Amino acid sequence: MRRFLPIALSALLCIAIAGCGRDASSSSGRTVVRVWHVWGGTMAEGFTRLCEAFAKEHPEIELRPVFASNDLATNQKFFTAVAAKRPPEVVFVDGPQVAPWAEWGALEPLTDRCEQAGITENDYFAPCWRQNTYKGDVWALTFCADPNFGFVWSKKAFREAGLDPEKPPITIEDLDRCARALTRREGNELTQIGLIPWSQYGAANSIFTWGWAFGGDFFDYQTGRVTADDPRVVKALEWMVSYAKEYDVTKVASLERGFGSAEQNPFITGKVAMMCLHIGGIADLARYAPDLDYGVTFIPAPPDGEQRSSWVGGWCVSIPKGAENQDAAWEFIRWLCASDEGTALVGEATGLFPGYKASPYLRSVQGKKHYGKFLRILQECRHQRPVMPVQARYMRELSRAVDAAVYGKLSPQAALRRATETTQRELDTITAGSGWSQPTNSGQVE
């Protein structure tokens, strides 16, 4: 049951996919590479440009990109395709999915291909390489390396609050002081808040962000133990809960009901004065609020925490188990993730950072407003989410823990202890008898 657990739930889809004929070559004799990607909207346009550029250089290969939704919890279509021996040649896989998918036997190892191509861990930012390495093999290469996160502050809001707009908070004490000055109320209701610590791209990503900033860690690679209840992670959650109490979590929730995306982004509308920002948010702010005066800096941290803390996220690319035309698939992956031209185009077409350190795109943004700061964050990044085969469960449990603590249902320590125990039980079940162990440097700060 350890391998391909989702298959049992996908039998009917399996039959349907099995009925689709394999198409190893096009009518023109070119080798077909089907690419299941995750990009919609303007990003889809950028990815199409990438595919067109690859096609010009590789007329012998016919790319067939297809949008295929992907999330951490369910990917039934993909697993069914692998089980039916009808997978695409290339698939996008989120960083935390790499280890589970490798554990379940859904990916082809790329170790030998990397060695033959001269691709090594030194070519990538360390967390990017680590999240693609599991049980001693490389299973994917990084398409985009997201430096999580840039901490942004509204200079306009700082001026209005009597704060120096050129001095963002560096410590948690600074942050608390600024948050109080930036919070506004009308009667009994919040109209503007300085920061909502648990709403930084979801509760799980929030606790990862603040937990590391407070000096904690989430997994012990030496022992294979989940450590969500690390004392410093508990301290981070206690700090997050202090905001829920000071600003009244129900009133914060009421304020959040007016939040939206695009031009209704609360940082643009002025309802939130400070927040964590994903690199993709730079383009959104430029598009919907070109005159917005804001700055980007590192995540604030307590004096005894981890200074200039960050972690890497982002999408990776791999070859599914049993895929046809694997040589052509690898050529696309290598070009996309480990060549000067491909990685430069990734940056230019999407605004995201390649994980390939030598990419010309990274040099081109060093002096570019906001992007240069994000690049520094990436260069100093030390963490990736734990490389272990129950990552999706771990994130769900962390999210539950944050919610339970913020809404006063459990103490931070009790909530994180529950997350630790529940995740550990599943990890033990998944890895029982597999001899699982991860190299000890997988999550360690270098």
Side-chain angles (χ1 to χ4, degrees):
M1 293 298 291
R2 177 171 64 83
R3 303 171 76 85
F4 280 130
L5 190 61
I7 294 173
L9 304 175
S10 311
L12 293 177
L13 277 174
C14 192
I15 293 171
I17 288 176
C20 300
R22 309 191 84 164
D23 192 3
S25 61
S26 69
S27 57
S28 61
R30 293 183 295 171
T31 302
V32 171
V33 171
R34 294 162 295 175
V35 183
W36 284 13
H37 69 86
V38 295
W39 307 107
T42 56
M43 288 300 221
E45 297 171 7
F47 189 68
T48 298
R49 287 173 52 198
L50 287 169
C51 293
E52 291 171 348
F54 176 82
K56 287 182 180 178
E57 286 191 19
H58 301 79
E60 74 283 7
I61 297 175
E62 179 182 332
L63 292 181
R64 293 182 180 176
V66 175
F67 174 81
S69 62
N70 182 317
D71 62 58
L72 284 174
T74 61
N75 287 284
Q76 197 173 63
K77 178 181 177 181
F78 171 70
F79 288 114
T80 303
V82 174
K85 303 186 186 306
R86 296 292 188 274
E89 279 70 33
V90 172
V91 65
F92 273 73
V93 50
D94 202 359
Q97 294 172 323
V98 174
W101 289 17
E103 174 67 27
W104 297 334
L107 301 177
E108 295 280 355
L110 304 180
T111 310
D112 291 344
R113 293 184 182 278
C114 285
E115 289 177 359
Q116 292 167 11
I119 297 170
T120 74
E121 62 181 318
N122 295 326
D123 293 319
Y124 289 85
F125 296 103
C128 297
W129 185 263
R130 287 197 297 258
Q131 73 177 355
N132 287 329
T133 305
Y134 180 68
K135 288 186 172 179
D137 273 314
V138 179
W139 299 91
L141 292 183
T142 298
F143 173 79
C144 59
D146 300 340
N148 292 333
F149 291 100
F151 186 82
V152 298
W153 75 99
S154 165
K155 296 185 178 181
K156 176 175 179 288
F158 268 52
R159 290 189 196 94
E160 292 173 348
L163 300 171
D164 187 338
E166 302 306 324
K167 289 187 177 179
I170 297 174
T171 68
I172 293 297
E173 184 178 2
D174 291 340
L175 182 56
D176 294 344
R177 177 178 55 81
C178 291
R180 289 191 187 98
L182 291 161
T183 298
R184 298 280 181 270
R185 295 178 176 84
E186 287 184 4
N188 202 31
E189 300 300 322
L190 291 168
T191 57
Q192 175 179 299
I193 193 165
L195 174 76
I196 307 175
W198 57 87
S199 291
Q200 307 307 311
Y201 295 90
N205 286 335
S206 297
I207 190 62
F208 276 129
T209 300
W210 299 116
W212 275 313
F214 272 71
D217 212 346
F218 293 85
F219 196 73
D220 185 334
Y221 290 92
Q222 295 280 357
T223 63
R225 307 298 296 178
V226 176
T227 61
D229 56 351
D230 177 308
R232 289 183 177 272
V233 178
V234 173
K235 192 173 179 181
L237 186 52
E238 289 173 345
W239 169 77
M240 294 164 69
V241 169
S242 75
Y243 274 60
K245 293 178 178 176
E246 180 168 349
Y247 300 102
D248 188 338
V249 66
T250 61
K251 296 188 186 307
V252 176
S254 177
L255 179 68
E256 287 183 299
R257 280 196 284 274
F259 292 1
S261 57
E263 64 270 18
Q264 293 305 309
N265 180 317
F267 191 64
I268 292 176
T269 59
K271 292 182 177 179
V272 171
M274 301 180 291
M275 61 181 289
C276 295
L277 186 71
H278 180 271
I279 187 171
I282 299 177
D284 289 338
L285 293 180
R287 182 178 303 115
Y288 299 111
D291 298 325
L292 184 65
D293 189 11
Y294 71 98
V296 182
T297 189
F298 288 87
I299 298 289
D304 62 346
E306 181 177 280
Q307 308 307 308
R308 303 162 82 92
S309 179
S310 66
W311 54 278
V312 76
W315 288 97
C316 309
V317 194
S318 188
I319 300 176
K321 185 72 173 179
E324 289 196 344
N325 303 330
Q326 292 191 18
D327 288 346
W330 167 250
E331 176 54 21
F332 179 57
I333 293 173
R334 185 205 61 77
W335 180 87
L336 197 63
C337 304
S339 75
D340 287 355
E341 182 176 5
T343 59
L345 284 173
V346 166
E348 293 165 7
T350 68
L352 303 174
F353 286 170
Y356 185 62
K357 288 194 296 186
S359 174
Y361 178 77
L362 298 178
R363 293 194 296 275
S364 74
V365 299
Q366 284 179 337
K368 189 175 179 182
K369 187 177 182 181
H370 301 319
Y371 285 90
K373 178 65 75 172
F374 267 93
L375 178 58
R376 288 179 58 192
I377 295 171
L378 177 59
Q379 289 168 333
E380 297 189 31
C381 186
R382 284 168 275 190
H383 303 286
Q384 75 291 323
R385 285 169 288 194
V387 182
M388 39 91 92
V390 294
Q391 175 61 229
R393 180 59 178 267
Y394 199 2
M395 292 193 69
R396 287 198 300 274
E397 292 301 325
L398 286 174
S399 184
R400 285 182 65 205
V402 171
D403 288 345
V406 165
Y407 281 92
K409 297 177 181 176
L410 289 173
S411 70
Q413 185 166 30
L416 289 169
R417 184 184 304 119
R418 182 179 68 180
T420 298
E421 293 172 351
T422 305
T423 307
Q424 188 68 53
R425 279 198 297 274
E426 179 156 333
L427 177 62
D428 291 342
T429 300
I430 292 291
T431 59
S434 71
W436 179 77
S437 65
Q438 184 69 351
T440 56
N441 68 344
S442 291
Q444 305 305 307
V445 174
E446 294 183 341

